[in-house]
Amino acid sequence: MNLDYNEAKTLLKSLMGQKDKFPEDVTIIICPSTPYLSAFSEVLKDQGWVQLGAQNNYFEDSGAHTGEVSPTQLKSLGVSFCIVGHSERRNDFNEDYGILSKKVKALLKHGIRPVFCCGEQLQVRDSNVYKEFVIKQIEDSLFKFSAEEIQKIVIAYEPIWAIGTGKTASAEEAQEIHQLIRNRIASQYDENTANQVSILYGGSCNSDNAGELFSQKDIDGGLIGGASLEAESFVAIANAY
Ligand code: PGA
């Protein structure tokens, strides 16, 4: 819920102006606040190098669900990715594993790729059951899907203690969880499926630490919050991959 409409348009313009500085072999996705999707869609529709993502969706296709946004509506705007289960949605809106699973299912049905977030709170990290905690979030919401469907889901590991705090997980801490996630997908499905799943890191990722994080074997990219509000740092992070 950052930036008003004019500020968001200015940021988008600035990003578009830097097109030549983005690496060609990195997938760039921009996920603006819901009210701006339509305007962003108009600008991005002819820009093959950047894709449009949403931050949230409801699990029904249509109907009387005032204030919600459906996958069909997102699809009609050219949205190709949607964040699901960000820790703020889990905490502020009580979105549990069942709701998140329904949201993922609804997106897949319409060919929108979910970016499924997982991650532990500080007290869970300190209690030493953080590995089991994160794996259970994935098992509970995602393991009902087929191998083909799982490959379309992007997973974002976002330790809650690192989101917006300026405190990043070290590259080793992040890699430990990413590897666990990939191994668990391999044991549930198969190795090939696990290797097809993109696992992003999120949580105070910035132009200074992105290179080290992205150099880890199982870190396939980043979900960038604060550092994406400024075009220069977003470009630098994309180039760090
Ligand atoms: P941050 O946000 O990069 O500002 O920590 C990440 C997020 O909200 O997912």
Side-chain angles (χ1 to χ4, degrees):
M1 221 164 65
N2 286 298
L3 308 184
D4 70 19
Y5 184 43
N6 287 325
E7 291 166 338
K9 278 196 296 189
T10 302
L11 175 57
L12 181 62
K13 197 167 170 208
S14 161
L15 283 169
M16 292 300 112
Q18 313 233 17
K19 178 184 172 187
D20 294 344
K21 295 193 190 154
F22 280 96
E24 278 176 20
D25 54 351
V26 174
T27 304
I28 307 291
I29 307 157
I30 299 179
C31 304
S33 297
T34 308
Y36 310 155
L37 281 169
S38 172
F40 274 51
S41 170
E42 284 303 313
V43 174
L44 298 187
K45 69 178 181 219
D46 303 320
Q47 306 278 338
W49 62 281
V50 53
Q51 308 203 45
L52 184 61
Q55 297 184 5
N56 183 37
N57 69 288
Y58 195 56
F59 48 76
E60 298 287 355
D61 284 352
S62 62
H65 306 285
T66 303
E68 291 293 337
V69 58
S70 76
T72 7
Q73 291 174 321
L74 296 177
K75 188 82 196 165
S76 70
L77 287 168
V79 165
S80 44
F81 289 83
C82 183
I83 300 172
V84 179
H86 190 282
S87 62
E88 288 143 23
R89 301 279 332 160
R90 293 176 188 260
N91 293 338
D92 301 349
F93 303 97
N94 298 320
E95 292 189 0
D96 64 10
Y97 74 95
I99 290 175
L100 299 179
S101 192
K102 284 199 216 172
K103 288 187 169 199
V104 168
K105 187 175 176 191
L107 291 169
L108 289 171
K109 181 178 160 197
H110 293 285
I112 299 173
R113 295 183 63 187
V115 180
F116 181 84
C117 302
C118 58
E120 78 287 358
Q121 299 92 331
L122 189 56
Q123 63 270 34
V124 176
R125 162 72 48 171
D126 290 342
S127 73
N128 248 346
V129 292
Y130 60 95
K131 295 181 202 166
E132 294 80 356
F133 182 91
V134 175
I135 292 301
K136 191 163 165 32
Q137 287 181 319
I138 290 173
E139 290 171 345
D140 287 352
S141 292
L142 302 185
F143 279 6
K144 62 168 67 159
F145 297 106
S146 68
E148 200 188 323
E149 288 170 321
I150 281 282
Q151 291 180 30
K152 298 198 177 105
I153 299 171
V154 176
I155 292 177
Y157 170 57
E158 300 210 303
I160 296 171
W161 45 273
I163 298 177
T165 58
K167 195 171 176 232
T168 325
S170 69
E172 293 73 29
E173 284 172 326
Q175 166 61 19
E176 178 189 44
I177 299 290
H178 283 233
Q179 188 175 21
L180 268 180
I181 294 172
R182 201 177 309 280
N183 289 346
R184 184 65 190 92
I185 296 170
S187 67
Q188 182 72 16
Y189 297 90
D190 56 76
E191 200 104 335
N192 178 52
T193 300
N195 288 333
Q196 293 301 319
V197 176
S198 279
I199 310 176
L200 313 182
Y201 169 79
S204 298
C205 185
N206 57 41
S207 51
D208 292 332
N209 58 34
E212 204 190 341
L213 285 159
F214 297 165
S215 70
Q216 301 297 308
K217 182 172 174 288
D218 292 294
I219 301 185
D220 302 317
L223 199 165
I224 316 301
S228 69
L229 296 174
E230 205 260 300
E232 298 289 339
S233 68
F234 190 58
V235 171
I237 293 168
N239 278 288
Y241 185 74

mmCIF file with all atom_site columns, all heavy atoms in Angstrom, residues 86 158 162-164 203-205 223-226, ligand 1:
data_model
loop_
_atom_site.group_PDB
_atom_site.id
_atom_site.type_symbol
_atom_site.label_atom_id
_atom_site.label_alt_id
_atom_site.label_comp_id
_atom_site.label_asym_id
_atom_site.label_entity_id
_atom_site.label_seq_id
_atom_site.pdbx_PDB_ins_code
_atom_site.Cartn_x
_atom_site.Cartn_y
_atom_site.Cartn_z
_atom_site.occupancy
_atom_site.B_iso_or_equiv
_atom_site.pdbx_formal_charge
_atom_site.auth_seq_id
_atom_site.auth_comp_id
_atom_site.auth_asym_id
_atom_site.auth_atom_id
_atom_site.pdbx_PDB_model_num
ATOM   1  N N   . HIS A 1 86  ? 1.046  -13.562 1.080  1.00 0.00 ? 86  HIS A N   1
ATOM   2  C CA  . HIS A 1 86  ? 2.078  -12.704 1.682  1.00 0.00 ? 86  HIS A CA  1
ATOM   3  C C   . HIS A 1 86  ? 1.826  -12.674 3.186  1.00 0.00 ? 86  HIS A C   1
ATOM   4  O O   . HIS A 1 86  ? 0.679  -12.729 3.636  1.00 0.00 ? 86  HIS A O   1
ATOM   5  C CB  . HIS A 1 86  ? 1.989  -11.294 1.079  1.00 0.00 ? 86  HIS A CB  1
ATOM   6  C CG  . HIS A 1 86  ? 3.151  -10.433 1.457  1.00 0.00 ? 86  HIS A CG  1
ATOM   7  N ND1 . HIS A 1 86  ? 3.242  -9.832  2.687  1.00 0.00 ? 86  HIS A ND1 1
ATOM   8  C CD2 . HIS A 1 86  ? 4.282  -10.104 0.797  1.00 0.00 ? 86  HIS A CD2 1
ATOM   9  C CE1 . HIS A 1 86  ? 4.385  -9.164  2.760  1.00 0.00 ? 86  HIS A CE1 1
ATOM   10 N NE2 . HIS A 1 86  ? 5.038  -9.320  1.617  1.00 0.00 ? 86  HIS A NE2 1
ATOM   11 N N   . GLU A 1 158 ? 9.985  -15.792 2.419  1.00 0.00 ? 158 GLU A N   1
ATOM   12 C CA  . GLU A 1 158 ? 10.089 -14.459 2.997  1.00 0.00 ? 158 GLU A CA  1
ATOM   13 C C   . GLU A 1 158 ? 10.054 -14.548 4.521  1.00 0.00 ? 158 GLU A C   1
ATOM   14 O O   . GLU A 1 158 ? 8.960  -14.537 5.115  1.00 0.00 ? 158 GLU A O   1
ATOM   15 C CB  . GLU A 1 158 ? 8.916  -13.599 2.525  1.00 0.00 ? 158 GLU A CB  1
ATOM   16 C CG  . GLU A 1 158 ? 8.857  -13.430 1.027  1.00 0.00 ? 158 GLU A CG  1
ATOM   17 C CD  . GLU A 1 158 ? 8.239  -12.087 0.676  1.00 0.00 ? 158 GLU A CD  1
ATOM   18 O OE1 . GLU A 1 158 ? 7.109  -11.813 1.102  1.00 0.00 ? 158 GLU A OE1 1
ATOM   19 O OE2 . GLU A 1 158 ? 8.922  -11.309 0.020  1.00 0.00 ? 158 GLU A OE2 1
ATOM   20 N N   . ALA A 1 162 ? 12.481 -10.420 8.337  1.00 0.00 ? 162 ALA A N   1
ATOM   21 C CA  . ALA A 1 162 ? 13.330 -9.689  7.385  1.00 0.00 ? 162 ALA A CA  1
ATOM   22 C C   . ALA A 1 162 ? 12.536 -8.745  6.490  1.00 0.00 ? 162 ALA A C   1
ATOM   23 O O   . ALA A 1 162 ? 13.113 -7.935  5.772  1.00 0.00 ? 162 ALA A O   1
ATOM   24 C CB  . ALA A 1 162 ? 14.106 -10.688 6.524  1.00 0.00 ? 162 ALA A CB  1
ATOM   25 N N   . ILE A 1 163 ? 11.191 -8.822  6.547  1.00 0.00 ? 163 ILE A N   1
ATOM   26 C CA  . ILE A 1 163 ? 10.388 -8.010  5.621  1.00 0.00 ? 163 ILE A CA  1
ATOM   27 C C   . ILE A 1 163 ? 10.256 -6.580  6.138  1.00 0.00 ? 163 ILE A C   1
ATOM   28 O O   . ILE A 1 163 ? 9.739  -6.358  7.239  1.00 0.00 ? 163 ILE A O   1
ATOM   29 C CB  . ILE A 1 163 ? 8.982  -8.614  5.417  1.00 0.00 ? 163 ILE A CB  1
ATOM   30 C CG1 . ILE A 1 163 ? 9.082  -10.005 4.791  1.00 0.00 ? 163 ILE A CG1 1
ATOM   31 C CG2 . ILE A 1 163 ? 8.138  -7.700  4.520  1.00 0.00 ? 163 ILE A CG2 1
ATOM   32 C CD1 . ILE A 1 163 ? 7.749  -10.702 4.618  1.00 0.00 ? 163 ILE A CD1 1
ATOM   33 N N   . GLY A 1 164 ? 10.754 -5.650  5.342  1.00 0.00 ? 164 GLY A N   1
ATOM   34 C CA  . GLY A 1 164 ? 10.625 -4.233  5.677  1.00 0.00 ? 164 GLY A CA  1
ATOM   35 C C   . GLY A 1 164 ? 11.398 -3.813  6.910  1.00 0.00 ? 164 GLY A C   1
ATOM   36 O O   . GLY A 1 164 ? 11.217 -2.720  7.432  1.00 0.00 ? 164 GLY A O   1
ATOM   37 N N   . GLY A 1 203 ? 12.642 -10.141 1.484  1.00 0.00 ? 203 GLY A N   1
ATOM   38 C CA  . GLY A 1 203 ? 12.871 -9.661  2.854  1.00 0.00 ? 203 GLY A CA  1
ATOM   39 C C   . GLY A 1 203 ? 14.106 -8.801  2.897  1.00 0.00 ? 203 GLY A C   1
ATOM   40 O O   . GLY A 1 203 ? 15.226 -9.309  2.993  1.00 0.00 ? 203 GLY A O   1
ATOM   41 N N   . SER A 1 204 ? 13.885 -7.471  2.731  1.00 0.00 ? 204 SER A N   1
ATOM   42 C CA  . SER A 1 204 ? 14.988 -6.506  2.745  1.00 0.00 ? 204 SER A CA  1
ATOM   43 C C   . SER A 1 204 ? 16.082 -6.852  1.738  1.00 0.00 ? 204 SER A C   1
ATOM   44 O O   . SER A 1 204 ? 17.270 -6.652  1.994  1.00 0.00 ? 204 SER A O   1
ATOM   45 C CB  . SER A 1 204 ? 15.576 -6.363  4.153  1.00 0.00 ? 204 SER A CB  1
ATOM   46 O OG  . SER A 1 204 ? 14.593 -5.868  5.045  1.00 0.00 ? 204 SER A OG  1
ATOM   47 N N   . CYS A 1 205 ? 15.667 -7.396  0.606  1.00 0.00 ? 205 CYS A N   1
ATOM   48 C CA  . CYS A 1 205 ? 16.620 -7.630  -0.482 1.00 0.00 ? 205 CYS A CA  1
ATOM   49 C C   . CYS A 1 205 ? 16.873 -6.279  -1.149 1.00 0.00 ? 205 CYS A C   1
ATOM   50 O O   . CYS A 1 205 ? 15.934 -5.548  -1.465 1.00 0.00 ? 205 CYS A O   1
ATOM   51 C CB  . CYS A 1 205 ? 16.021 -8.625  -1.472 1.00 0.00 ? 205 CYS A CB  1
ATOM   52 S SG  . CYS A 1 205 ? 17.151 -9.093  -2.783 1.00 0.00 ? 205 CYS A SG  1
ATOM   53 N N   . LEU A 1 223 ? 11.785 -11.346 -4.462 1.00 0.00 ? 223 LEU A N   1
ATOM   54 C CA  . LEU A 1 223 ? 10.522 -10.605 -4.378 1.00 0.00 ? 223 LEU A CA  1
ATOM   55 C C   . LEU A 1 223 ? 10.885 -9.324  -3.633 1.00 0.00 ? 223 LEU A C   1
ATOM   56 O O   . LEU A 1 223 ? 11.221 -9.352  -2.453 1.00 0.00 ? 223 LEU A O   1
ATOM   57 C CB  . LEU A 1 223 ? 9.460  -11.409 -3.621 1.00 0.00 ? 223 LEU A CB  1
ATOM   58 C CG  . LEU A 1 223 ? 7.997  -10.971 -3.832 1.00 0.00 ? 223 LEU A CG  1
ATOM   59 C CD1 . LEU A 1 223 ? 7.047  -12.043 -3.342 1.00 0.00 ? 223 LEU A CD1 1
ATOM   60 C CD2 . LEU A 1 223 ? 7.677  -9.669  -3.145 1.00 0.00 ? 223 LEU A CD2 1
ATOM   61 N N   . ILE A 1 224 ? 10.844 -8.227  -4.368 1.00 0.00 ? 224 ILE A N   1
ATOM   62 C CA  . ILE A 1 224 ? 11.431 -6.986  -3.855 1.00 0.00 ? 224 ILE A CA  1
ATOM   63 C C   . ILE A 1 224 ? 10.347 -6.012  -3.407 1.00 0.00 ? 224 ILE A C   1
ATOM   64 O O   . ILE A 1 224 ? 9.482  -5.650  -4.195 1.00 0.00 ? 224 ILE A O   1
ATOM   65 C CB  . ILE A 1 224 ? 12.301 -6.312  -4.961 1.00 0.00 ? 224 ILE A CB  1
ATOM   66 C CG1 . ILE A 1 224 ? 13.175 -7.350  -5.694 1.00 0.00 ? 224 ILE A CG1 1
ATOM   67 C CG2 . ILE A 1 224 ? 13.129 -5.186  -4.385 1.00 0.00 ? 224 ILE A CG2 1
ATOM   68 C CD1 . ILE A 1 224 ? 14.127 -8.130  -4.808 1.00 0.00 ? 224 ILE A CD1 1
ATOM   69 N N   . GLY A 1 225 ? 10.403 -5.583  -2.176 1.00 0.00 ? 225 GLY A N   1
ATOM   70 C CA  . GLY A 1 225 ? 9.430  -4.620  -1.651 1.00 0.00 ? 225 GLY A CA  1
ATOM   71 C C   . GLY A 1 225 ? 9.989  -3.214  -1.706 1.00 0.00 ? 225 GLY A C   1
ATOM   72 O O   . GLY A 1 225 ? 9.998  -2.551  -2.749 1.00 0.00 ? 225 GLY A O   1
ATOM   73 N N   . GLY A 1 226 ? 10.504 -2.756  -0.573 1.00 0.00 ? 226 GLY A N   1
ATOM   74 C CA  . GLY A 1 226 ? 10.967 -1.369  -0.435 1.00 0.00 ? 226 GLY A CA  1
ATOM   75 C C   . GLY A 1 226 ? 11.943 -0.937  -1.523 1.00 0.00 ? 226 GLY A C   1
ATOM   76 O O   . GLY A 1 226 ? 11.836 0.177   -2.059 1.00 0.00 ? 226 GLY A O   1
HETATM 77 P P1  . PGA B 2 .   ? 10.925 -5.682  1.608  1.00 0.00 ? 1   PGA B P1  1
HETATM 78 O O1  . PGA B 2 .   ? 9.477  -6.317  1.342  1.00 0.00 ? 1   PGA B O1  1
HETATM 79 O O2  . PGA B 2 .   ? 11.767 -5.976  0.409  1.00 0.00 ? 1   PGA B O2  1
HETATM 80 O O3  . PGA B 2 .   ? 10.637 -4.227  1.795  1.00 0.00 ? 1   PGA B O3  1
HETATM 81 O O4  . PGA B 2 .   ? 11.448 -6.325  2.862  1.00 0.00 ? 1   PGA B O4  1
HETATM 82 C C1  . PGA B 2 .   ? 9.362  -7.599  0.856  1.00 0.00 ? 1   PGA B C1  1
HETATM 83 C C2  . PGA B 2 .   ? 7.920  -7.970  0.813  1.00 0.00 ? 1   PGA B C2  1
HETATM 84 O O5  . PGA B 2 .   ? 7.054  -7.213  1.273  1.00 0.00 ? 1   PGA B O5  1
HETATM 85 O O6  . PGA B 2 .   ? 7.589  -9.026  0.315  1.00 0.00 ? 1   PGA B O6  1
#
